[in-house]
Amino acid sequence: MATYDPRSAPLFGPGSMLQLIRSGDGTTRAELVAHTGLARSTVAQRLDQLFAHGLLREAGESESTGGRPPMMFAFNHDAGVILAADLGATHARLALTNLGGEVLAEETGEIEIARGPEEVLDWADERFHVLLREAGRGDADVRGIGIGVPGPVEHATGRPRNPPIMPGWDAYPIPERFTDRYNVPVLVDNDVNIMALGEYWMQWTEMDHLLFVKVGTGIGCGVVVDGAIHRGADGAAGDIGHIRVAGPQADDVTCACGNVGCLEALAGGRAMAARLSSEGFAAADSRAVVDLARAGEPAAVQLVRESGRLIGEVLAASVNFVNPSVIVVGGDIAQAQEQLLAGIREVVYQRSLPLATRHLRIVRSQLADRAGVIGAAVMVIERVLSPAAIDAAIAAVAPGERAFAAG
Ligand SMILES: [Zn+2]
C-alpha cells in the first residue's frame, strides 16, 4: 500500500492518527508521538476521541524493554458494516463485511442485468436487508455501500457510461437508489476495478503496482498504481480486451465493438465457446469451456493455452509500459486449470524486457469469486475511514454522541 504521509494532512487530527494505527505505523503512544511530532498530551487527547467514538480498541501490551509495557492500540473493525454487491451479467454476489473487509454474511443469486436498474437494484436492496438481519445488524450500522457493475462507470457520480451489456443503465444514478434509506456514501465502479482492489488489498499491499486481468466471457484489466486504482481520464484505463492482437488469425475476426482482431474476440470465453461449438462440442458459454478443459478435453486444453498466449502478448506490452510487481489472473477461465497461466507466463517472460520481469510474479487470483465483493467493500472502507472523512464524522455529531457504533 502506498505509504501514508501524515504530514500531508492539514492537521494531525484524529483521522490521521487512526490512519497511522490502521497501517501499523503507530500502535503505541510513543510511536504516535514519534510519527506525528505532537505533544504526548495531544496524542492522548486524539486517542480519547477515537475511543469515545468507538473506533479503537486496546490490543494488549507490547514487548517491554524494561519498565511498564506500553499499551498497544488497534482499529475496531466492528465499528460498523459495509454492504457490497458484485453485479455480473447473469450472476450476482452480495456481502456484508466489517470495516476490515471481512465477510460476515453473503449470498449469491441469478440476475439478468439487462432487465434494467430498477429490478436489479430492488433485488439487491431487499437482499441487503436480509443480510443485515442475519448478521444482527441494523440500518444505522451501515457506514457505506460499494457496488460493482459489468460495464464502464463514471466513478465520481456512480453512473454507468454507455455500458454495452447493460441496457437501461446508461447514466442511471445508482447511488441515489440507496441514499434515501441509508444516508451513507455509495460508491460504484466496474467489476474489474473492484476485483483488482480486493485482490490487492487482501494479498499484495506490500507491492505498489499490480495488474489484475479478468478472463471471463470478455477480457478486462484493473490497474493498481502506487496502491490505488488507476482509472484514467474517462474511466477506460486497462481496457485490454479491445487491443488488437498481431497475426494472421486476427484479421478474420470482428469484435462486438466493431473493430477487427480485438484480444477479447480471439481469446475471451465467448470466443472460445464459439470455437469449440463450431468443432462440435456442447459449449454454450465460458463456463462450458472451463468444464471441458477441466475434464481434460484436448481441444479445450489447447484452446485455453492458446488464449493464454494471446493474452500474454498484450500483457507483455503492458508490462513494459506499467512495470508491475505482480499480475493476478482471475475470472472464470483462470479457474479452468494451469494452462491459461502457463500460456500467459510463456509469452510475458519471453517478450517483456528483462528489467521489467526480473521481479515480476504472475499468479492466479486467491479470492476467486469473492474478489469483487471484497474489493467493493474495500473501495468504501478506504473512503469512509480516510482522515478527512473521520475528522468530518467526528465533527458532525453532537457532544456525547458517537460517530461510529461500537461493535
Ligand atoms: Zn473490440
Side-chain angles (χ1 to χ4, degrees):
M1 195 179 298
T3 313
Y4 171 69
D5 180 359
R7 288 165 302 186
S8 67
L11 292 162
F12 294 113
S16 308
M17 202 73 71
L18 183 67
Q19 189 84 7
L20 285 168
I21 294 168
R22 285 179 67 220
S23 68
D25 287 335
T27 56
T28 63
R29 278 176 216 278
E31 284 174 0
L32 289 167
V33 166
H35 265 287
T36 60
L38 293 175
R40 216 177 151 78
S41 57
T42 312
V43 168
Q45 188 198 3
R46 301 276 190 271
L47 290 171
D48 286 346
Q49 276 180 295
L50 293 170
F51 270 111
H53 287 285
L55 288 160
L56 284 193
R57 61 182 177 82
E58 291 186 343
E61 291 170 343
S62 87
E63 295 280 310
S64 173
T65 52
R68 204 179 93 198
M71 177 58 67
M72 290 169 69
F73 305 106
F75 171 55
N76 174 21
H77 286 161
D78 297 314
V81 294
I82 302 292
L83 294 167
D86 178 13
L87 306 176
T90 59
H91 193 72
R93 181 175 289 259
L94 306 180
L96 177 75
T97 78
N98 66 12
L99 297 181
E102 187 188 342
V103 175
L104 304 176
E106 66 184 320
E107 73 169 62
T108 59
E110 302 301 316
I111 60 165
E112 289 293 335
I113 200 89
R115 294 179 74 96
E118 306 286 346
E119 185 176 322
V120 173
L121 297 177
D122 279 355
W123 173 82
D125 189 28
E126 185 206 312
R127 301 317 298 171
F128 276 158
H129 215 59
V130 172
L131 290 178
L132 278 167
R133 240 185 3 240
E134 275 174 21
R137 297 293 197 139
D139 292 359
D141 296 323
V142 177
R143 313 309 313 178
I145 300 176
I147 295 176
V149 296
V153 175
E154 187 182 68
H155 186 63
T157 61
R159 295 171 183 234
R161 266 189 158 178
N162 303 314
I165 62 163
M166 300 169 65
W169 291 78
D170 185 28
Y172 185 87
I174 297 174
E176 277 85 330
R177 174 66 186 72
F178 296 96
T179 38
D180 273 358
R181 179 187 288 193
Y182 296 102
N183 191 28
V184 293
V186 182
L187 304 184
V188 187
D189 207 341
N190 78 59
D191 55 354
V192 185
N193 281 352
I194 60 168
M195 291 169 87
L197 193 59
E199 204 71 41
Y200 175 75
W201 216 64
M202 285 297 169
Q203 312 277 343
W204 302 102
T205 47
E206 77 279 14
M207 311 284 189
D208 287 336
H209 313 294
L210 167 147
L211 296 179
F212 177 90
V213 187
K214 181 188 180 188
V215 189
T217 303
I219 296 174
C221 181
V223 183
V224 175
V225 173
D226 285 329
I229 292 288
H230 174 76
R231 296 188 174 85
D234 296 298
D239 196 359
I240 64 169
H242 301 283
I243 291 178
R244 189 185 160 94
V245 175
Q249 85 270 39
D251 297 339
D252 305 332
V253 180
T254 303
C255 180
C257 76
N259 287 326
V260 171
C262 291
L263 176 65
E264 179 172 304
L266 284 145
R270 184 183 288 121
M272 285 194 275
R275 174 100 161 262
L276 288 171
S277 296
S278 75
E279 291 171 13
F281 294 97
D285 54 20
S286 58
R287 288 186 195 190
V289 176
V290 172
D291 291 342
L292 285 165
R294 274 198 181 143
E297 170 53 49
V301 171
Q302 205 188 331
L303 194 58
V304 170
R305 176 84 179 210
E306 184 52 33
S307 164
R309 290 195 190 104
L310 290 169
I311 295 164
E313 269 190 43
V314 170
L315 285 179
S318 311
V319 162
N320 286 349
F321 198 71
V322 178
N323 187 199
S325 304
V326 59
I327 294 176
V328 180
V329 185
D332 282 355
I333 306 291
Q335 302 305 318
Q337 42 139 283
E338 285 299 312
Q339 291 295 336
L340 185 78
L341 241 69
I344 291 174
R345 287 192 180 116
E346 183 188 320
V347 176
V348 169
Y349 287 120
Q350 200 176 18
R351 296 275 291 273
S352 301
L353 293 170
L355 183 61
T357 53
R358 194 163 48 171
H359 302 297
L360 175 68
R361 296 169 68 180
I362 302 177
V363 300
R364 180 150 60 173
S365 161
Q366 294 298 303
L367 300 177
D369 291 347
R370 265 182 166 183
V373 281
I374 290 174
V378 166
M379 165 172 75
V380 178
I381 290 167
E382 291 295 274
R383 170 73 65 88
V384 300
L385 297 184
S386 69
I390 290 293
D391 290 352
I394 288 177
V397 298
E401 280 182 21
R402 284 179 158 214
F404 282 72

